[in-house]
Amino acid sequence: MKIRDMHWQHVEEYLENDDRCILPLGSVEQHAFLSLAVDAILSERVAVDAAEPVGVPVFPALPYGLAPYFQAYPGSMTLRVDTYVRVVRELLDGLRRSGFRRVLIVNGHGGNAPAGALAQEYSVDHPEMRVKFHSWWSAPRVAAETQRIDPAGSHASWSENFPWTRLEGVTLPDHRKGALDLDLLRVLDPAGVREYVGDGNYGGEYQKDDATMHGLWSVAVEETRAMLDGPWGL
Ligand SMILES: [Zn+2]
């Protein structure tokens, strides 16, 4: 259930019987011909779909994340690492004050990894809390299903192209883009990244049929729901 569809007494009532919630993390950054907000759209939606049958509240996705390497692409945003970790920590503090004890962070962007380190630190600092960090697209079952569909799929390729991340009126290229050299990518400056990556796709086809993507999505929803079920160690 989305927090935006609840008022505070709903949360108070919920907390009498359960103490789980989900905090999705996104990033505003270039995704080739897809929405700049892909990572927040996907992390929030997979969280909402996973939580729906169990009634666990889902907070709005934190839209901004860490993407310093995309700064030569207009519209791409980044926070500094220390700012980001502080923001996520303060959001966790707010959840703890509210009475939530088991927090599933559903992450939509690889660059947000420092929040994963924070999740572990936070649970140690606050033994009454359990914070799990789940990067939905790289979790084992989704990663295996993505590999099975097409091993060539990466940032801004078909693997992030769902009916809910496409933009109306935008026609996608129908060729398969060659794989990029990720070791080279990691050492380029933002201008170099833009020059090397071009349209923004890291390699692979730009689009698959909707049935394939719905199949991948249901694996993602089930795997995220399993994270919500446990184990929590509390
Ligand atoms: Zn993405």
Side-chain angles (χ1 to χ4, degrees):
M1 173 153 215
K2 291 180 187 166
I3 277 289
R4 70 185 66 170
D5 297 326
M6 303 172 82
H7 57 54
W8 69 267
Q9 291 105 323
H10 289 143
V11 175
E12 193 167 67
E13 270 167 45
Y14 168 83
L15 285 164
E16 285 166 17
N17 301 303
D18 206 330
D19 59 9
R20 293 173 296 173
C21 70
I22 302 185
L23 176 64
L25 301 180
S27 175
V28 175
E29 60 179 55
Q30 75 78 13
H31 275 82
F33 304 101
L34 304 171
S35 166
L36 280 152
V38 160
D39 295 341
I41 293 170
L42 293 178
S43 63
E44 187 167 321
R45 189 175 176 118
V46 79
V48 167
D49 288 357
E52 203 259 336
V54 262
V56 169
V58 179
F59 280 79
L62 177 61
Y64 303 109
L66 301 173
Y69 33 86
F70 286 148
Q71 295 315 297
Y73 287 92
S76 298
M77 306 292 283
T78 193
L79 297 172
R80 297 199 67 89
V81 174
D82 59 343
T83 307
Y84 185 65
V85 170
R86 284 182 67 167
V87 168
V88 177
R89 182 183 280 118
E90 289 176 22
L91 293 175
L92 292 172
D93 288 341
L95 298 175
R96 181 166 53 89
R97 275 193 302 273
S98 287
F100 292 103
R101 291 293 174 262
R102 293 175 290 172
V103 180
L104 178 61
I105 293 178
V106 174
N107 175 42
H109 170 53
N112 293 343
L118 171 68
Q120 293 185 302
E121 181 185 276
Y122 201 90
S123 304
V124 171
D125 285 352
H126 305 279
E128 75 278 24
M129 296 283 289
R130 285 296 177 274
V131 182
K132 294 204 285 195
F133 187 80
H134 174 63
S135 292
W136 73 268
W137 82 97
S138 63
R141 288 187 55 203
V142 172
E145 182 62 8
T146 306
Q147 282 290 307
R148 191 194 63 77
I149 295 168
D150 184 348
S154 187
H155 175 80
S157 75
W158 66 270
S159 63
E160 295 195 284
N161 182 341
F162 293 86
W164 40 92
T165 52
R166 271 171 231 154
L167 298 173
E168 232 180 283
V170 174
T171 313
L172 290 144
D174 59 6
H175 65 275
R176 174 184 288 260
K177 189 172 174 180
L180 300 182
D181 178 348
L182 296 181
D183 289 333
L184 171 62
L185 251 179
R186 271 182 217 109
V187 295
L188 293 173
D189 66 6
V193 168
R194 180 167 165 172
E195 197 184 326
Y196 181 55
V197 179
D199 66 16
N201 177 354
Y202 274 23
E205 286 184 331
Y206 289 78
Q207 188 160 344
K208 301 276 187 198
D209 62 86
D210 284 358
T212 301
M213 297 315 291
H214 278 106
L216 178 60
W217 191 251
S218 51
V219 174
V221 170
E222 278 168 31
E223 191 168 35
T224 302
R225 192 174 296 146
M227 289 296 292
L228 207 48
D229 288 343
W232 284 98
L234 275 180

